[in-house]
Amino acid sequence: MQTEKEDEDDASCEEYVARSDFTGSGTDQLSFSRGDRLLVHAKPSSEWWWAELQGVIGYVPAGYLSQDAAGEEEEDPSIEDPWQDEEYFGNYGTLRLHLEMLSDKSRTEAYRQVILSNSASLSSKRVMDLGCGTGIISLFCAQLARPSMVYAVEASSMAEYTRQLVKQNGCDEVVTVLQGRAEDIELPEQVDVLVSEWMGNCLLFEFMVESVLLARDRWLRDGGTMWPSSAALTLVPCQADSYYAEKMAFWERPYGLDFTPLQPLAQQEFFTKPKFSHIIDPCDCLAAPCDVISLDMYTLQVGDLEEMKGQFHFCVEKSAVFHGFTAWFTVCFESLEAGGAIVELNTGPNSGPTHWKQTLFMLDWPVSVCAGDSISGTIVLQRNPVWRRHMTVTLHWTIKGSTDNPDNSQAGTKSFPMWR
Ligand SMILES: NC(=[NH2+])NCCC[C@H]1O[C@@H](n2cnc3c(N)ncnc32)[C@H](O)[C@@H]1O
């Protein structure tokens, strides 16, 4: 018989249905599968609830749960396809994106350099090229080295053409194209090297990296090599005068008229989401850039991707208007030979241009800063619990005046959806 307290607890418990799978990270998060019925005991915050599943208790992301049974009938599109694979792989089935990537010399030459500088060590190695697209990396392997086999895995319809390109270039003895998602295909053997070009805007957008980690855990032999081997997200406070003038200052006096009542609209429309494909000029950087998140591709776990946190502390080097932060990434490819040369692909303003360009996060209002001021804070990349290729980037910052400008101290925070 339940005690009054237990009755009371049951009364406060509410049953919810999981709309999507969730892999918890750490000991206090509860993993579950789509369709599981969870008992929610408490809602300490709007994002994380305290729930129970088959006697196990832990934190669950509230966004994953829906209460109304009716929700099951009107399937929310995100439940059907939280990875939006139909649209995602549909896009990669056309040439537009492949042309953009192949036209990116910094990107493509970096992968070619990796193969070239490891060509001797690649002899007799088994390679998996995850998300091979047109197969360029696999063709580099077959052309510049003597691997025993390259498994070129591609989920989109481009794979049919990739097979033709492999044959057209006389590489079909070495390269085998497998059409399918890396998560679903079967290889006849484990591989020595897992190479992939998985990086998205702000490094993680698209979350293709999850597929790479799953393939690592399933197909890379112990002691095998991950290319890239590591990745880092870099941040810098910046001025963005021309972007600000174009989107915000414009409304001050267009054709001699005062359109400033539209500025709150402009802020909402143009500064709510990050501006990807921004090109930051090195002189727009207000401080030395700082790596805020570093990924080790050998130890990174899928659960780690739910929330990635980084800290920063910038010393402002010149008096300017602080419009926002700019982010970019760098990936490194370790040598197959111990101590061999590392190849780096840096998508920042001091390296060759790439199709990723950089990502600009505009503050709601610019702030004047002086040389000697400090800008400290944190960046949090929160993976979208429903749309699994998306995330929200939250920046918290505090500006502290330098000794000769002590009263300029202010704090701010802003969340930027990428893109839902
Ligand atoms: N750097 C990126 N942001 N995107 C560039 C690589 C993306 C290529 O990998 C393919 N691709 C992406 N995910 C997968 C997957 N899980 N399995 C197979 N192919 C994939 C996709 O169809 C495309 O051809």
Side-chain angles (χ1 to χ4, degrees), residues 269-288:
E269 190 170 327
F270 304 123
F271 296 169
T272 299
K273 296 189 174 179
K275 179 197 176 200
F276 71 100
S277 295
H278 180 66
I279 297 176
I280 184 172
D281 187 305
C283 68
D284 287 338
C285 298
L286 303 184

Side-chain angles (χ1 to χ4, degrees), residues 88-89 92-93 98 101 107 130-134 153-156 158 180-183 196-201 205-206 208 211-212 355-356 389:
Y88 181 75
F89 292 123
Y92 280 116
H98 296 289
M101 294 187 286
R107 163 200 179 269
L130 196 168
C132 67
T134 53
V153 180
E154 173 53 48
S156 76
M158 188 52 63
R181 285 176 359 123
E183 292 86 338
S196 180
E197 192 281 79
W198 53 263
M199 300 76 73
N201 277 307
F205 180 65
E206 287 179 38
M208 182 178 162
S211 307
V212 173
H355 77 286
W356 289 283
R389 293 191 184 280

Side-chain angles (χ1 to χ4, degrees), residues 166-195:
V166 165
K167 196 160 182 57
Q168 185 77 12
N169 289 279
C171 300
D172 44 328
E173 294 290 304
V174 174
V175 179
T176 300
V177 178
L178 296 102
Q179 179 164 5
R181 285 176 359 123
E183 292 86 338
D184 306 331
I185 51 99
E186 293 289 334
L187 297 187
E189 55 186 341
Q190 293 220 303
V191 295
D192 305 294
V193 177
L194 199 174
V195 61

Side-chain angles (χ1 to χ4, degrees), residues 235-254:
L235 196 68
V236 74
C238 67
Q239 62 191 11
D241 291 310
S242 51
Y243 187 62
Y244 187 80
E246 179 195 334
K247 301 296 185 190
M248 187 57 73
F250 172 81
W251 308 105
E252 276 156 20
R253 241 338 151 231

